Amino acid sequence: MAAFFKSRHRWKRTSCFTILTRNLTGKYDYDLVVIGGGSGGLACSKEAAQLGQKVAVLDYVEPSAKGTKWGLGGTCVNVGCIPKKLMHQAALLGTAVKDARKYGWKIKDPVSHDWETMAEAVQNHVRSLNWGHRVQLKDKKVKYLNLKGSLLDEHTVRGMTKSGKEVGCFFITKNHHNRIPGAMEHGITSDDIFWLKEAPGKTLVVGASYVALECAGFLTGIGQDTKVMVRSIALRGFDQQMAGLVTDHMQAYGTRFAWGCVPQRVDKLPSGALQVTWADTRTGKEETDSFDSVLWAVGRAPEAKALGLDKVGVEVNRETGKIVVGADESTSVSNIYAFGDIGEGRPELTPTAVKAGRLLARRLAGQSTQLMDYDNVATTVFTPLEYSCVGLSEEEAVGRHGQDAIEVYHAFYKPLEFTVAERDASQCYIKVVCERGGEQRILGLHYTGPNAGEVMQGFSLALRCGATLSHLKETVGIHPTCAEELTKVSITKRSGLDATVTGC
């Protein structure tokens, strides 16, 4: 997200675009102009308006290659967190139906899933959120403009009313797949999957990010034949032992993986099926298979060039395309700020963008000096077996402190609800990464199991308060819960002892 401040702006209408500019008196019509109507931009704009600032928000959705378009609210609301979690829930309910028989429920076969019913319900909920955001902006007297924003100079914002190749919205991002023949013509992205009217059928998911694995997980869970193509490793940037547990569980429950494979091209067959050709880097062989859908989930790149940042001197990391920012979200131009996914080195998470936006609005209004703290932010991967974490991975802890300076406590446990259902719990695991000396300050917590996000939220507060291993072990757990197992860890990796939890 980006915010433009320290001046008032006036709108000037021309034939094809609108310009925010200064009048002859040197005054401006807005105190703050926010480009991007995602969660962070909306939070910043509403907070600033509450503090007496005159605010405008520019937001425009560039349709995906397949023409998918959505409303106000950004990625999280429309093609991210919200529809993802709802479709994940649909898959969990499918598993619950299977478990229910073990608990005595009489459920007749065949049990089947209807994509259209799910999709319509999810899409209707998302549309209600779009409308809610517009109402909130109006109630808080924030001017909403469905326009693409770009800079003419450090105090002038141009808002395009028509799409054009030379101009794009700063916050619209595209996946890195356009160099593969047939990819854009025949594939879809996470921008499209949540808005499909019909089930995708046999699907190839290219990529192994959390978005790729989450989509593959819920597709498998609702009965779609799903394969994940992984170039190198899964969940890059996350603890790799935990990542292995996540993918092991996915494989055990039906998702197929093609490891060490790189797609070469996508061809549409006369039957309508998509034939994908890829190279297996382990064997050196070329292979092919046919799919109904190919979902590209290989990362996003910010399209910062369309904003005109070079015209005003805003520094951008040439390798990543992200804006270089300071601790206060400032850029190299004094009255221009950037926060959210577009900031170099910032976590690509909705809650951090929301909090950073609110804090920025308060600082710009002179109401606070508090900076956003990006350390120890918890997150969850909503795969079939959920994974949540906060703090450092084991690899990061070793890199920062050295192998001999950390202690890792761990446990394999079985959720009580898995017992009667006779579900495999071999990937349910807890890891507590601590400093080895002194009070054994906790550096990172990792958990795979049911309700991972709910479990980790409270523990993330403890970590921010400087929790130590003693604090954790002195906490009385809630019995019988999965979260309780975190308070009981006592086996270290260094000891080599069996870390399987037995009994209470």
Side-chain angles (χ1 to χ4, degrees), residues 318-388:
R318 292 184 179 181
E319 291 185 6
T320 64
K322 295 193 174 190
I323 298 175
V324 177
V325 292
D328 61 351
E329 325 304 340
S330 61
T331 70
S332 53
V333 177
S334 60
N335 66 307
I336 299 177
Y337 298 80
F339 60 96
D341 294 5
I342 198 64
E344 179 64 34
R346 298 300 193 232
E348 297 181 1
L349 298 170
T350 295
T352 55
V354 169
K355 190 168 183 63
R358 287 175 178 158
L359 291 175
L360 173 61
R362 292 169 193 167
R363 293 196 302 274
L364 295 179
Q367 300 296 310
S368 172
T369 59
Q370 183 182 356
L371 299 176
M372 176 66 189
D373 183 356
Y374 290 97
D375 288 333
N376 293 330
V377 174
T379 190
T380 297
V381 182
F382 290 99
T383 37
L385 184 69
E386 297 175 1
Y387 164 40
S388 61

Side-chain angles (χ1 to χ4, degrees), residues 26-326:
K27 293 183 178 180
Y28 297 79
D29 289 338
Y30 289 96
D31 299 304
L32 180 70
V33 177
V34 178
I35 297 183
S39 301
L42 294 175
C44 179
S45 64
K46 289 185 287 186
E47 187 73 17
Q50 292 276 84
L51 296 171
Q53 304 292 297
K54 192 170 184 181
V55 185
V57 173
L58 282 72
D59 184 67
Y60 183 86
V61 178
E62 191 75 53
S64 73
K66 290 296 181 182
T68 305
K69 195 173 181 180
W70 51 87
L72 184 63
T75 297
C76 176
V77 167
N78 295 282
V79 291
C81 315
I82 300 302
K84 174 269 301 286
K85 180 72 180 295
L86 292 173
M87 291 191 177
H88 169 63
Q89 176 64 15
L92 292 182
L93 289 171
T95 301
V97 168
K98 296 175 184 177
D99 290 351
R101 292 188 174 95
K102 296 283 187 179
Y103 280 92
W105 286 96
K106 302 299 182 183
I107 300 173
K108 295 182 179 180
D109 286 323
V111 175
S112 62
H113 180 268
D114 182 68
W115 176 278
E116 292 182 13
T117 299
M118 176 191 70
E120 182 179 4
V122 170
Q123 291 161 15
N124 285 342
H125 177 67
V126 169
R127 291 188 184 99
S128 74
L129 297 178
N130 297 149
W131 177 251
H133 284 309
R134 295 190 68 161
V135 170
Q136 288 175 20
L137 291 181
K138 185 176 181 180
D139 287 347
K140 291 180 168 52
K141 296 180 171 56
V142 176
K143 182 68 173 179
Y144 164 60
L145 298 152
N146 184 214
L147 300 169
K148 295 182 179 181
S150 61
L151 294 172
L152 294 182
D153 59 48
E154 64 268 34
H155 293 290
T156 307
V157 179
R158 179 172 64 180
M160 295 291 291
T161 59
K162 295 180 180 180
S163 60
K165 292 183 179 179
E166 75 283 356
V167 179
C169 183
F170 183 57
F171 304 98
I172 302 302
T173 56
K174 294 181 180 177
N175 289 272
H176 300 288
H177 64 272
N178 55 349
R179 295 183 180 179
I180 300 171
M184 294 189 71
E185 299 94 319
H186 308 309
I188 61 174
T189 70
S190 57
D191 288 350
D192 306 300
I193 187 70
F194 304 110
W195 292 91
L196 295 179
K197 299 300 183 184
E198 298 179 352
K202 181 182 178 182
T203 303
L204 174 67
V205 178
V206 182
S209 64
Y210 70 93
V211 173
L213 297 187
E214 288 173 338
C215 289
F218 74 67
L219 287 174
T220 300
I222 61 175
Q224 305 298 304
D225 183 354
T226 309
K227 186 172 189 174
V228 179
M229 184 171 291
V230 187
R231 177 176 58 85
S232 54
I233 62 173
L235 296 179
R236 185 180 301 278
F238 287 88
D239 187 289
Q240 283 302 290
Q241 181 188 8
M242 307 304 292
L245 293 171
V246 167
T247 55
D248 285 349
H249 183 273
M250 290 180 68
Q251 288 184 103
Y253 279 81
T255 302
R256 295 173 294 125
F257 282 79
W259 296 96
C261 294
V262 181
Q264 303 296 303
R265 66 181 184 274
V266 181
D267 300 299
K268 191 166 188 177
L269 302 176
S271 65
L274 303 178
Q275 180 175 280
V276 181
T277 303
W278 66 87
D280 188 324
T281 60
R282 298 169 301 178
T283 65
K285 294 181 179 180
E286 188 174 272
E287 299 182 22
T288 63
D289 196 2
S290 296
F291 302 88
D292 297 311
S293 300
V294 179
L295 171 62
W296 299 91
V298 290
R300 293 174 176 264
E303 292 199 85
K305 292 181 181 178
L307 248 192
L309 300 177
D310 54 332
K311 295 178 182 179
V312 297
V314 173
E315 184 181 357
V316 175
N317 184 314
R318 292 184 179 181
E319 291 185 6
T320 64
K322 295 193 174 190
I323 298 175
V324 177
V325 292

Side-chain angles (χ1 to χ4, degrees), residues 241-242 244-253 385 411-415 418 422-430 448-450 498-501:
Q241 181 188 8
M242 307 304 292
L245 293 171
V246 167
T247 55
D248 285 349
H249 183 273
M250 290 180 68
Q251 288 184 103
Y253 279 81
L385 184 69
F412 286 95
Y413 71 100
K414 188 162 190 173
F418 281 23
E422 298 180 323
R423 287 174 59 184
D424 177 24
S426 56
Q427 287 87 32
C428 292
Y429 180 70
I430 289 164
T448 51
D498 183 4
T500 303
V501 174

Side-chain angles (χ1 to χ4, degrees), residues 407-413 429-434 440 442 444-447 459 468-470 472-475 482-492 499 501:
E407 196 75 85
V408 178
Y409 292 83
H410 66 151
F412 286 95
Y413 71 100
Y429 180 70
I430 289 164
K431 178 190 289 190
V432 182
V433 184
C434 304
Q440 291 194 284
I442 299 173
L445 288 171
H446 301 265
Y447 166 96
F459 287 107
T468 65
L469 184 69
S470 293
L472 189 64
K473 297 179 76 170
E474 289 168 5
T475 299
C482 295
E484 174 190 21
E485 300 300 335
L486 277 158
T487 69
K488 295 160 57 178
V489 291
S490 59
I491 305 296
T492 67
V501 174

